[in-house]
């Protein structure tokens, strides 16, 4: 195995291409976006990931990685293109299909094709395989096909690519062997062999497991709220049991994985996927729940209350806005007539009024924390809130640790207190 073509140079494809190139393969990175290709050829990465930049420049300089807009012949092809969901919450395979079609003219006997993109079960066998067969080669006998889903966490991609276990889901034994040979070049975690459809389902279930468990925590929050007890205390005590791990409630579930992958299972078995569907519904209901709590907290506020939103990303310490519940919450608050100003040290959103922390908080009636950036955890709360009109903090991420000197109201999601009566 000498030459590899990676189709799709996004969050996963680019680090993967760089990783293989830095381990000695001749890699052709392909992206349909000319701007991305031009940028990379000038050493500018559109993916901001720790430790990626240096290695990227090394492999570009050494010529091990070449970046272009169309594929060419190689020994192996990796497809790592996005699989967004359609408005009907179905897996949109258009990028996977066009990526697979783009390599067909370049396929030759002995080639290996890997699908890394997260897809609904059976996509490798029912969608990708027939496309590759158009080459006239026998898929399974003359060319090999596997689904090897990525499982890395943004922010730790370069580390996790090497150290995580990797599922190798081949359409037959020889495909598994060939794919294992490829990933064995740099993967230090365990290589886990299975068939393609099982690999697809395992990847989806990892994120679905997390989504369902977060839904359980969010449901618990609503229940504790009704009963009048503190959710965080319940979770802390229950998690003292050695086999219990209740997740954290919050303003909802975002990102391109947990908020998307469960739908790919629901799509295949809507009647059976009851808990999975319900979990999606519960997590999707959290923005509305947060807004109802803001309404309660600001019930007595005069005029048009000003809300300073801290954090617009889908989770802490990232600039990623995809499926962010915070964006939905801000939209809802604006539609309700609140004056909303957003501060985020990592990201900006053109649709909203963004400001510095000081300006966002000045004269505000409520500080609403929607992402747990480290910066927020260690804020000097007493000082920062001193210019607020009403010192009300609503912490939906339970991230404020130090309240020394703060004389206002700190309300946390799952607090169990009626927000209205506390003001
Ligand atoms: N969240 C909660 N409560 C929690 C944990 C998370 O409300 O207790 C929220 C977060 O705020 C965020 C969302 O869930 O909005 C998702 O965050 P996350 O950190 O759980 O997941 P991702 O989407 O950043 O990354 C996941 C990871 N999957 C798992 O941990 C099973 C990662 O390993 C995968 O590679 C990635 O999805 C992916 O690409 O599939």
């Amino acid at each position: 195995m000498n030459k590899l073509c990676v189709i799709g140079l996004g969050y996963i494809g680019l680090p993967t291409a760089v990783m293989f190139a830095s381990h000695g393969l001749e890699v052709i990175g392909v992206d349909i976006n000319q701007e991305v290709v031009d940028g990379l050829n000038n050493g500018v990465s559109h993916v901001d990931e720790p430790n990626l930049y240096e290695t990227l420049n090394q492999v570009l300089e050494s010529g091990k990685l070449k970046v272009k807009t169309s594929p060419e012949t190689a020994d192996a092809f990796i497809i790592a293109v996005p699989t967004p969901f359609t408005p009907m919450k179905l897996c949109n395979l258009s990028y996977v299909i066009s990526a697979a079609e783009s390599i067909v003219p370049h396929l030759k006997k002995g080639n290996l094709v890997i699908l890394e993109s997260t897809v609904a079960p059976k996509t490798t066998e029912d969608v990708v395989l027939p496309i590759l067969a158009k080459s006239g080669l026998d898929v399974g006998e003359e060319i090999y096909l596997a689904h090897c889903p990525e499982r890395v966490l943004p922010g730790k991609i370069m580390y996790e690519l090497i150290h995580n276990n990797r599922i190798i889901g081949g359409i037959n034994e020889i495909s598994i062997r060939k794919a294992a040979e490829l990933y064995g070049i740099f993967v230090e975690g365990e290589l886990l062999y299975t068939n393609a459809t099982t690999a697809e389902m395992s990847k989806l279930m990892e994120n679905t497991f997390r989504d369902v468990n977060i839904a359980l925590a969010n449901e618990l929050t609503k229940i504790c709220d009704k009963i009048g007890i503190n959710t965080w205390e319940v979770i802390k005590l229950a998690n003292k049991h050695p086999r219990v791990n209740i997740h954290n409630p919050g303003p909802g579930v975002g990102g391109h994985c947990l908020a998307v992958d469960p739908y790919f299972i629901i799509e295949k078995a809507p009647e059976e996927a009851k808990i999975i569907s319900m979990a999606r519904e519960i997590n999707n209901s959290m923005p509305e729940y947060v807004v109802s709590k803001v309404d309660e907290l600001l019930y007595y506020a005069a005029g048009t209350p000003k809300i300073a939103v801290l954090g617009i990303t889908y989770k802490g310490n990232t600039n990623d806005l995809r499926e962010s519940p915070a964006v939905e919450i801000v939209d809802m608050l604006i539609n309700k007539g609140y004056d909303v100003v957003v501060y985020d040290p990592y990201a900006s959103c053109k649709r909203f009024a963004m400001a510095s922390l000081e300006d966002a908080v000045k004269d505000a009636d409520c500080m609403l924390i929607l992402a747990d950036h480290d910066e927020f955890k260690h804020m000097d709360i007493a000082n920062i809130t001193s210019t607020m009109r009403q010192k009300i903090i609503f912490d939906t991420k339970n991230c404020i640790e130090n309240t020394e000197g703060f004389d206002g109201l700190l309300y946390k999601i799952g607090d169990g207190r009626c927000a209205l009566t506390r003001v």
Side-chain angles (χ1 to χ4, degrees), residues 7 39 43 70 98 118 124 146 189 204 206 210 213 236 248 255 310 312 325 336 356 363 380 414:
I7 321 287
S70 53
S98 56
T118 305
T124 306
L204 296 173
E206 291 168 8
R210 222 164 141 72
N213 278 284
K236 194 169 97 194
N248 296 328
L310 272 60
I312 190 81
K336 288 199 130 196
S356 65
D363 297 327
D380 179 353

Side-chain angles (χ1 to χ4, degrees), residues 118 150-154 160 203 206-207 210 214 218 247-258 261 314-315 325 397:
T118 305
E150 58 81 11
R151 306 155 90 196
V152 288
L153 196 67
E160 290 204 356
K203 158 72 196 195
E206 291 168 8
N207 286 334
R210 222 164 141 72
I214 297 167
N218 283 333
H247 289 34
N248 296 328
V253 169
H256 60 303
C257 307
L258 272 67
D261 293 0
Y314 87 88
K315 68 174 183 179
K397 298 296 294 182

